[in-house]
Amino acid sequence: AQKITQTQPGMFVQEKEAVTLDCTYDTSDPSYGLFWYKQPSSGEMIFLIYQGSYDQQNATEGRYSLNFQKARKSANLVISASQLGDSAMYFCAMREGIDSASKIIFGSGTRLSIRP
Amino acid sequence: GAVVSQHPSWVICKSGTSVKIECRSLDFQATTMFWYRQFPKQSLMLMATSNEGSKATYEQGVEKDKFLINHASLTLSTLTVTSAHPEDSSFYICSQEKRGNRQETQYFGPGTRLLVL
Protein backbone atom coordinates (compact mmCIF):
# COMPACT_ATOMS: atom_id res chain seq x y z
CA ALA A 1 0.00 0.00 0.00
CA GLN A 2 1.13 3.53 -0.71
CA LYS A 3 2.47 5.28 2.33
CA ILE A 4 2.35 8.73 0.77
CA THR A 5 -0.21 9.62 -1.88
CA GLN A 6 -0.21 12.70 -4.03
CA THR A 7 -3.24 12.53 -6.31
CA GLN A 8 -2.46 15.54 -8.47
CA PRO A 9 0.19 14.73 -11.09
CA GLY A 10 0.01 18.27 -12.46
CA MET A 11 -1.57 21.60 -11.66
CA PHE A 12 -1.85 24.93 -13.44
CA VAL A 13 -2.44 28.06 -11.38
CA GLN A 14 -2.64 31.72 -12.25
CA GLU A 15 0.09 33.89 -10.81
CA LYS A 16 -0.79 35.51 -7.46
CA GLU A 17 -3.46 32.95 -6.70
CA ALA A 18 -3.21 30.57 -3.77
CA VAL A 19 -2.70 26.89 -4.49
CA THR A 20 -3.21 23.74 -2.43
CA LEU A 21 -1.22 20.62 -3.15
CA ASP A 22 -2.77 17.48 -1.73
CA CYS A 23 -0.99 14.82 0.29
CA THR A 24 -2.37 11.91 2.28
CA TYR A 25 -0.33 9.46 4.27
CA ASP A 26 -0.71 6.10 5.91
CA THR A 27 1.02 5.03 9.09
CA SER A 28 0.24 3.26 12.33
CA ASP A 29 3.20 4.80 14.13
CA PRO A 30 2.10 7.57 16.52
CA SER A 31 5.38 9.41 15.97
CA TYR A 32 6.07 10.63 12.49
CA GLY A 33 7.15 13.68 10.57
CA LEU A 34 5.83 15.13 7.37
CA PHE A 35 7.85 17.15 4.89
CA TRP A 36 7.32 19.09 1.71
CA TYR A 37 10.08 19.60 -0.81
CA LYS A 38 10.33 21.62 -3.99
CA GLN A 39 12.38 20.30 -6.88
CA PRO A 40 13.02 22.77 -9.72
CA SER A 41 14.34 21.64 -13.08
CA SER A 42 17.91 21.81 -11.74
CA GLY A 43 17.14 18.75 -9.64
CA GLU A 44 18.03 20.08 -6.22
CA MET A 45 15.65 19.23 -3.42
CA ILE A 46 14.62 22.34 -1.53
CA PHE A 47 13.15 21.87 1.93
CA LEU A 48 9.96 23.88 2.39
CA ILE A 49 8.20 22.91 5.57
CA TYR A 50 8.01 20.29 8.32
CA GLN A 51 5.15 19.09 10.53
CA GLY A 52 5.62 16.75 13.45
CA SER A 53 2.83 14.38 14.38
CA TYR A 54 2.59 15.85 17.87
CA ASP A 55 2.62 19.46 16.76
CA GLN A 56 -0.59 21.14 17.82
CA GLN A 57 -0.41 23.95 15.33
CA ASN A 58 -0.10 23.87 11.57
CA ALA A 59 3.40 24.65 10.38
CA THR A 60 4.01 27.86 8.48
CA GLU A 61 7.08 29.15 6.67
CA GLY A 62 6.59 32.41 4.85
CA ARG A 63 4.19 31.82 1.95
CA TYR A 64 4.04 28.11 2.74
CA SER A 65 1.68 26.57 5.23
CA LEU A 66 0.82 22.98 5.95
CA ASN A 67 -2.83 22.10 6.49
CA PHE A 68 -2.40 19.20 8.91
CA GLN A 69 -5.56 17.14 9.34
CA LYS A 70 -4.38 14.35 11.60
CA ALA A 71 -7.63 12.41 11.77
CA ARG A 72 -7.88 12.43 7.98
CA LYS A 73 -4.16 11.72 7.63
CA SER A 74 -3.70 14.57 5.24
CA ALA A 75 -0.93 17.15 5.04
CA ASN A 76 -1.75 19.52 2.23
CA LEU A 77 0.68 22.26 1.27
CA VAL A 78 -0.79 25.71 0.74
CA ILE A 79 1.19 28.29 -1.20
CA SER A 80 -0.21 31.78 -0.92
CA ALA A 81 0.24 34.44 -3.60
CA SER A 82 1.92 32.12 -6.08
CA GLN A 83 4.86 33.38 -8.11
CA LEU A 84 6.32 32.31 -11.44
CA GLY A 85 9.32 30.94 -9.57
CA ASP A 86 7.06 28.49 -7.77
CA SER A 87 6.81 26.39 -10.93
CA ALA A 88 8.46 23.08 -10.02
CA MET A 89 7.84 19.55 -8.83
CA TYR A 90 6.59 19.31 -5.27
CA PHE A 91 7.06 16.21 -3.15
CA CYS A 92 5.36 15.27 0.07
CA ALA A 93 7.35 12.92 2.29
CA MET A 94 7.01 11.12 5.60
CA ARG A 95 9.36 9.75 8.21
CA GLU A 96 7.96 7.10 10.54
CA GLY A 97 9.27 6.78 14.07
CA ILE A 98 11.61 9.00 16.03
CA ASP A 99 14.87 7.20 15.32
CA SER A 100 17.27 9.44 13.44
CA ALA A 101 17.94 6.53 11.11
CA SER A 102 14.30 6.29 10.11
CA LYS A 103 13.96 6.57 6.39
CA ILE A 104 11.89 9.12 4.55
CA ILE A 105 9.39 7.96 1.97
CA PHE A 106 8.37 10.26 -0.86
CA GLY A 107 5.12 10.65 -2.71
CA SER A 108 4.95 10.60 -6.50
CA GLY A 109 5.00 14.36 -6.72
CA THR A 110 2.89 17.14 -8.23
CA ARG A 111 4.15 19.31 -11.06
CA LEU A 112 3.01 22.86 -10.42
CA SER A 113 2.97 25.34 -13.27
CA ILE A 114 2.28 29.01 -12.61
CA ARG A 115 0.73 30.96 -15.48
CA PRO A 116 1.65 34.68 -15.85
CA GLY B 1 24.93 28.20 2.15
CA ALA B 2 25.03 24.56 1.17
CA VAL B 3 24.86 22.04 3.96
CA VAL B 4 25.54 18.96 1.88
CA SER B 5 27.79 18.72 -1.13
CA GLN B 6 27.99 16.03 -3.78
CA HIS B 7 30.71 15.31 -6.24
CA PRO B 8 30.69 14.97 -9.15
CA SER B 9 27.55 16.71 -10.36
CA TRP B 10 27.69 15.02 -13.77
CA VAL B 11 29.19 11.72 -14.86
CA ILE B 12 29.23 10.16 -18.30
CA CYS B 13 30.91 6.78 -18.47
CA LYS B 14 31.16 3.69 -20.58
CA SER B 15 29.26 0.55 -19.73
CA GLY B 16 31.23 -1.69 -17.40
CA THR B 17 33.12 1.03 -15.56
CA SER B 18 32.68 1.92 -11.90
CA VAL B 19 31.63 5.33 -10.71
CA LYS B 20 32.16 6.79 -7.25
CA ILE B 21 29.90 9.53 -5.92
CA GLU B 22 30.82 11.47 -2.79
CA CYS B 23 28.38 13.00 -0.34
CA ARG B 24 29.94 15.39 2.12
CA SER B 25 28.44 17.09 5.15
CA LEU B 26 29.57 20.71 5.35
CA ASP B 27 27.71 22.00 8.35
CA PHE B 28 27.45 19.22 10.90
CA GLN B 29 28.46 15.67 11.58
CA ALA B 30 26.09 13.02 10.32
CA THR B 31 26.09 9.50 11.65
CA THR B 32 23.41 8.63 9.13
CA MET B 33 23.14 9.58 5.49
CA PHE B 34 20.61 8.43 2.95
CA TRP B 35 21.11 7.61 -0.73
CA TYR B 36 18.28 8.04 -3.20
CA ARG B 37 17.85 7.42 -6.90
CA GLN B 38 15.46 9.29 -9.14
CA PHE B 39 14.60 8.25 -12.67
CA PRO B 40 13.18 10.85 -15.08
CA LYS B 41 9.68 12.01 -14.20
CA GLN B 42 9.61 9.80 -11.14
CA SER B 43 9.89 10.30 -7.42
CA LEU B 44 12.90 9.72 -5.20
CA MET B 45 13.41 6.11 -4.23
CA LEU B 46 15.50 5.31 -1.20
CA MET B 47 18.34 2.98 -2.04
CA ALA B 48 20.14 2.62 1.25
CA THR B 49 20.84 4.10 4.64
CA SER B 50 24.50 4.76 5.24
CA ASN B 51 25.71 4.39 8.83
CA GLU B 52 29.04 5.75 9.98
CA GLY B 53 31.38 2.97 10.98
CA SER B 54 29.06 0.13 10.08
CA LYS B 55 27.45 -1.55 7.11
CA ALA B 56 24.80 0.22 5.11
CA THR B 57 21.20 -0.91 5.21
CA TYR B 58 19.86 -1.52 1.72
CA GLU B 59 16.26 -1.30 0.59
CA GLN B 60 14.59 -4.31 -0.91
CA GLY B 61 15.56 -4.80 -4.52
CA VAL B 62 18.79 -2.81 -4.31
CA GLU B 63 21.88 -4.92 -4.97
CA LYS B 64 24.43 -4.29 -2.24
CA ASP B 65 27.26 -5.71 -4.34
CA LYS B 66 26.46 -3.35 -7.17
CA PHE B 67 25.93 -0.21 -5.13
CA LEU B 68 28.75 -0.10 -2.62
CA ILE B 69 28.35 2.37 0.20
CA ASN B 70 31.15 3.46 2.49
CA HIS B 71 30.62 5.83 5.41
CA ALA B 72 34.09 6.05 6.84
CA SER B 73 33.75 9.36 8.64
CA LEU B 74 31.07 11.58 10.11
CA THR B 75 31.27 13.94 7.17
CA LEU B 76 31.69 11.67 4.16
CA SER B 77 29.67 8.89 2.59
CA THR B 78 30.44 7.43 -0.82
CA LEU B 79 28.32 5.46 -3.25
CA THR B 80 30.12 3.40 -5.86
CA VAL B 81 28.15 2.07 -8.80
CA THR B 82 30.14 -0.95 -9.87
CA SER B 83 30.15 -2.20 -13.45
CA ALA B 84 27.64 0.44 -14.46
CA HIS B 85 25.17 -0.31 -17.23
CA PRO B 86 22.83 1.99 -19.17
CA GLU B 87 19.93 1.06 -16.90
CA ASP B 88 21.89 2.56 -13.99
CA SER B 89 21.64 5.98 -15.65
CA SER B 90 19.78 8.09 -13.14
CA PHE B 91 19.94 11.03 -10.75
CA TYR B 92 21.60 10.01 -7.48
CA ILE B 93 21.07 12.22 -4.47
CA CYS B 94 22.12 11.95 -0.85
CA SER B 95 20.61 13.48 2.25
CA GLN B 96 21.28 14.01 5.93
CA GLU B 97 19.00 14.76 8.79
CA LYS B 98 19.36 17.64 11.18
CA ARG B 99 17.14 17.96 14.20
CA GLY B 100 16.45 21.07 16.20
CA ASN B 101 14.23 21.70 19.18
CA ARG B 102 10.96 21.51 17.31
CA GLN B 103 11.92 20.98 13.77
CA GLU B 104 13.77 18.47 11.75
CA THR B 105 15.06 18.92 8.28
CA GLN B 106 16.46 16.59 5.71
CA TYR B 107 19.19 18.35 3.80
CA PHE B 108 19.81 17.07 0.32
CA GLY B 109 22.91 17.30 -1.75
CA PRO B 110 22.65 18.85 -5.20
CA GLY B 111 22.60 15.41 -6.82
CA THR B 112 24.72 13.56 -9.35
CA ARG B 113 23.47 12.83 -12.84
CA LEU B 114 24.91 9.58 -14.13
CA LEU B 115 24.75 8.66 -17.80
CA VAL B 116 26.08 5.26 -18.79
CA LEU B 117 26.70 4.79 -22.48
Side-chain angles (χ1 to χ4, degrees):
Chain A
Q2 288 285 341
K3 291 273 191 176
I4 293 282
T5 303
Q6 294 180 254
T7 57
Q8 308 151 309
M11 286 189 71
F12 287 89
V13 172
Q14 201 68 32
E15 189 181 8
K16 298 181 184 177
E17 289 184 351
V19 57
T20 298
L21 304 181
D22 295 341
C23 174
T24 57
Y25 59 92
D26 182 29
T27 181
S28 57
D29 197 316
S31 297
Y32 54 89
L34 297 159
F35 306 79
W36 276 94
Y37 284 88
K38 172 183 178 181
Q39 187 180 41
S41 56
S42 60
E44 61 182 315
M45 293 292 284
I46 302 170
F47 168 76
L48 296 179
I49 200 165
Y50 167 81
Q51 179 86 42
S53 59
Y54 295 117
D55 292 344
Q56 296 294 314
Q57 293 186 323
N58 287 347
T60 59
E61 290 286 346
R63 292 188 300 113
Y64 305 108
S65 61
L66 199 151
N67 186 358
F68 184 41
Q69 304 277 327
K70 196 170 183 177
R72 295 183 181 179
K73 293 188 176 179
S74 75
N76 298 341
L77 176 71
V78 180
I79 306 174
S80 62
S82 58
Q83 302 170 357
L84 295 178
D86 293 334
S87 296
M89 281 292 290
Y90 288 80
F91 291 99
C92 179
M94 176 178 69
R95 174 195 50 75
E96 293 179 290
I98 59 174
D99 186 347
S100 62
S102 298
K103 58 189 179 184
I104 287 185
I105 301 168
F106 284 82
S108 55
T110 296
R111 180 168 296 281
L112 177 64
S113 299
I114 307 298
R115 293 187 178 123
Chain B
V3 176
V4 180
S5 70
Q6 257 183 266
H7 177 80
S9 54
W10 270 99
V11 181
I12 301 175
C13 69
K14 291 182 179 180
S15 185
T17 59
S18 293
V19 176
K20 180 187 278 190
I21 302 170
E22 291 186 350
C23 176
R24 199 174 293 273
S25 173
L26 303 177
D27 187 38
F28 60 96
Q29 294 178 332
T31 55
T32 303
M33 295 186 189
F34 303 91
W35 284 96
Y36 293 84
R37 179 168 53 182
Q38 184 181 30
F39 291 108
K41 299 188 186 301
Q42 294 187 23
S43 185
L44 277 73
M45 298 299 295
L46 181 67
M47 299 175 67
T49 302
S50 169
N51 304 298
E52 189 267 337
S54 64
K55 291 182 179 180
T57 303
Y58 289 83
E59 294 300 300
Q60 192 173 9
V62 178
E63 300 175 55
K64 59 182 68 176
D65 294 331
K66 180 169 182 63
F67 298 99
L68 302 178
I69 291 174
N70 184 283
H71 194 155
S73 77
L74 289 171
T75 59
L76 176 65
S77 175
T78 60
L79 167 69
T80 301
V81 183
T82 61
S83 187
H85 287 93
E87 58 265 29
D88 297 324
S89 298
S90 187
F91 185 58
Y92 293 86
I93 190 166
C94 67
S95 75
Q96 304 168 12
E97 181 185 86
K98 186 173 186 179
R99 295 196 179 191
N101 283 337
R102 298 162 77 183
Q103 162 134 327
E104 63 174 87
T105 309
Q106 279 276 337
Y107 289 101
F108 284 83
T112 298
R113 294 192 187 279
L114 171 63
L115 177 61
V116 185
L117 302 176

